[in-house]
Every structure is written in structure tokens, then in C-alpha cells.
Amino acid sequence: MKVFVTRTLPGKALDRLRERGLEVEVHRGLFLPKAELLKRVEGAVGLIPTVEDRIDAEVMDRAKGLKVIACYSVGVDHVDLEAARERGIRVTHTPGVLTEATADLTLALLLAVARRVVEGAAYARDGLWRAWHPELLLGLDLQGLTLGLVGMGRIGQAVAKRALAFGMRVVYHARTPKPLPYPFLSLEELLKEADVVSLHTPLTPETHRLLNRERLFAMKRGAILINTARGALVDTEALVEALRGHLFGAGLDVTDPEPLPQDHPLYRLPNAVITPHIGSAGRTTRERMAEVAVENLLAVLEGREPPNPVV
């Protein structure tokens, strides 16, 4: 039985599949065009895709014996879940594993934007640093700022704990209030009140461009936006406009489109800090994600209930 893995994965988790007598085929390039994906899933009973791979009905039908799609991710918006249900294909994901790593990067982006770290590093590297000055690269102190979290799952709660250590006040918005020691606000109230807005909600038809132009400009003047969730939660072109005077800055680990074209105006804005979707990119975290994906896949193929089912 064949398992196709759409990217090389860190660690030794895939060895477990080989030990079970499975044929493991791994795509070793950086990109996987749709035409090649369709060719290589033929004959596969298991598939381990990344968020870069759109797994739609056409892909599923090409892999006629496909039993399980074990996503190497928490989000599953790259998989057509309804098509999987109709075909009796199980879909799994890797929740919980990347919580701490993503929360760490959220704070890293916040600090980078608030304290203008990237601008400062470029200033020094370009030979402009010739003397200390009281008004050089003034940023924002986190102490006393209000952090507004949109989405309060595992990652949102982990970010909240880190923010408290910096002396920030935390408020949040979610689909429903939770028994947490932070004020629950409507999205409109949160945008008006928060000095920093950080997104931690899944991408769904309802949350697509959740922060449109109207809501971006409803944020406090001089506020910061952080997005380590999904790029399409934000209207990118409206964000460019907001960063040209309304917002203090933005820290983005995800974008729409992703990746951004090299000539995109976001890259030319000094108050935009952009990283290439590395929220979970701690070595231990990425290796554990592979282990969880493999365990999910093996459970389905061996007739067991997977630990982390979606469908």
C-alpha cells in the first residue's frame, strides 16, 4: 500500500510507515504543481499534505483507493471536507502540537513591530547608525497596552499568558464566551479598544476577509495588527492603505496571496514585518507534527479511530 507525502518532513516519523510495510513516496521539491500532485497520488491509500496543497475532489478521485488524508497542519481549509465526506475518506489534523511555537512567534512579531526591530537592524546594517539619539526609532512600550485576541482557542490562550508577562491587558472575541479571566467583547468593541489586534481564528467562509477595509479603519489609530492564523482573514489591499498612516504597523506570518509577489507594496512598507509562514517552525514542534500526522494515518489504515479526526 502506498502513502504519498507532499513534502519532506523533519525527524524520523515516516520510518514508522515503512516499518509497517507501507510504500512511502515523498515529494522532495519546494513546489508541487497540481498536475504532478494528480499523477503522484494515483494508487495511494494515504496522503500527508501540507497547507500548500489544495486537496479537492479531483485529487481524491485520482487516488481511487484513498482512505485517509492526514494533514500536516492544524488548519484544514486546504481540503474539500465535503468531498471527503461524500467519498468516505477520513481527514485528520495536528491540533495542540504547534500551540506554543505559534504563540512564541506571535509575541516575536509583536515585539518586532512595536520596537521597530527590523527597521533598527536595517538602519545599523546600512551604516546609518552614527550616534545615539533620544528620538531614534521610537516604538511602543508593551506595558499597559490592551491586546485584543480574535479567536480564543489553544493558541489565543497561550498568547494571552505571554502577553500578561509583558504587563499587557487582554480582551478577546470568539464565537461564544469562554470561562476565562479576560473580558469578552464584540468584534466591533474589540477593534475600538485594543492597541494590538492579534488573529487566531480559523479561515471559513464566515471569517474570509474578517478584517475588511471598514474594520481595519475601525481599529485605533496607531494600533498594531498581528496575523499568525490565515492570510485571507485580512483584506490585503486595505491593509496596505491602513499602514500608510492609520496603523502603527503589522506583523504577518501569513498573507493573501501566499507567498506575496516580490514586488508587492507590503514589502516596501517599513512598518510591515513579514515572515514566511514559520509559526510552527521550531524543530521539536515540526517533528512532533510529523509524528501526529503519521499516527493519525496509521490509525485509519489499521482500522482504529484516529486521535485527531476532522472528518
Side-chain angles (χ1 to χ4, degrees):
M1 294 193 295
K2 170 182 165 181
V3 173
F4 179 54
V5 187
T6 65
R7 300 292 188 284
T8 56
L9 302 181
K12 299 180 179 180
L14 295 181
D15 290 344
R16 290 186 61 198
L17 300 179
R18 299 183 180 98
E19 290 165 3
R20 297 295 206 283
L22 294 166
E23 175 193 349
V24 181
E25 184 178 320
V26 181
H27 174 67
R28 300 191 178 278
L30 183 61
F31 303 104
L32 180 59
K34 179 70 175 289
E36 185 173 354
L37 172 62
L38 289 169
K39 182 186 299 183
R40 299 186 69 175
V41 297
E42 291 180 356
V45 295
L47 174 63
I48 301 180
T50 72
V51 294
E52 290 287 318
D53 309 299
R54 176 63 184 162
I55 310 302
D56 56 17
E58 185 181 11
V59 173
M60 298 177 202
D61 288 342
R62 187 66 67 94
K64 298 186 184 302
L66 190 63
K67 299 181 184 302
V68 55
I69 301 168
C71 296
Y72 183 77
S73 61
V74 174
V76 292
D77 48 276
H78 57 298
V79 179
D80 187 333
L81 298 180
E82 188 56 38
R85 286 190 188 94
E86 291 172 356
R87 291 157 177 77
I89 299 170
R90 300 302 303 271
V91 180
T92 66
H93 63 156
T94 61
V97 181
L98 47 71
T99 297
E100 304 303 328
T102 306
D104 285 347
L105 187 76
T106 300
L107 265 293
L109 286 171
L110 173 52
L111 285 164
V113 175
R115 295 303 305 273
R116 302 174 68 177
V117 173
V118 175
E119 288 180 81
Y123 186 88
R125 185 176 55 248
D126 294 343
L128 301 176
W129 183 25
R130 298 177 182 176
W132 182 88
H133 192 281
E135 294 184 332
L136 177 64
L137 290 167
L138 292 179
L140 302 180
D141 299 305
L142 297 191
Q143 176 84 23
L145 295 187
T146 295
L147 171 64
L149 297 166
V150 180
M152 204 54 160
R154 291 185 180 96
I155 295 172
Q157 292 179 47
V159 171
K161 291 178 182 178
R162 286 159 172 77
L164 293 178
F166 282 91
M168 302 184 77
R169 171 177 175 258
V170 175
V171 299
Y172 77 99
H173 172 75
R175 284 178 294 180
T176 56
K178 298 174 182 284
L180 295 169
Y182 316 114
F184 172 86
L185 303 179
S186 70
L187 181 57
E188 288 67 27
E189 290 171 331
L190 182 146
L191 295 177
K192 291 178 182 177
E193 190 167 326
D195 302 292
V196 179
V197 174
S198 189
L199 303 181
H200 302 284
T201 189
L203 178 63
T204 67
E206 292 72 31
T207 61
H208 183 263
R209 295 199 171 182
L210 181 69
L211 292 194
N212 54 22
R213 187 185 187 283
E214 180 181 359
R215 285 178 172 150
L216 285 168
F217 280 89
M219 290 173 62
K220 268 188 178 181
R221 179 173 290 277
I224 291 173
L225 174 66
I226 304 294
N227 189 4
T228 56
R230 286 291 184 266
L233 296 173
V234 180
D235 182 332
T236 303
E237 302 313 311
L239 177 59
V240 170
E241 185 181 351
L243 286 170
R244 289 173 171 156
H246 184 70
L247 298 180
F248 182 85
L252 310 172
D253 188 46
V254 289
T255 60
D256 182 29
E258 188 173 302
L260 287 175
Q262 194 170 5
D263 62 349
H264 197 279
L266 269 177
Y267 285 133
R268 298 194 292 274
L269 295 175
N271 56 343
V273 176
I274 302 166
T275 52
H277 205 145
I278 57 172
S280 64
R283 178 167 293 280
T284 300
T285 297
R286 288 281 174 89
E287 290 183 1
R288 180 60 185 145
M289 287 173 65
E291 292 167 2
V292 172
V294 164
E295 176 53 37
N296 283 326
L297 185 141
L298 284 173
V300 174
L301 294 185
E302 294 173 358
R304 297 181 281 116
E305 181 64 15
N308 302 288
V310 177
V311 172

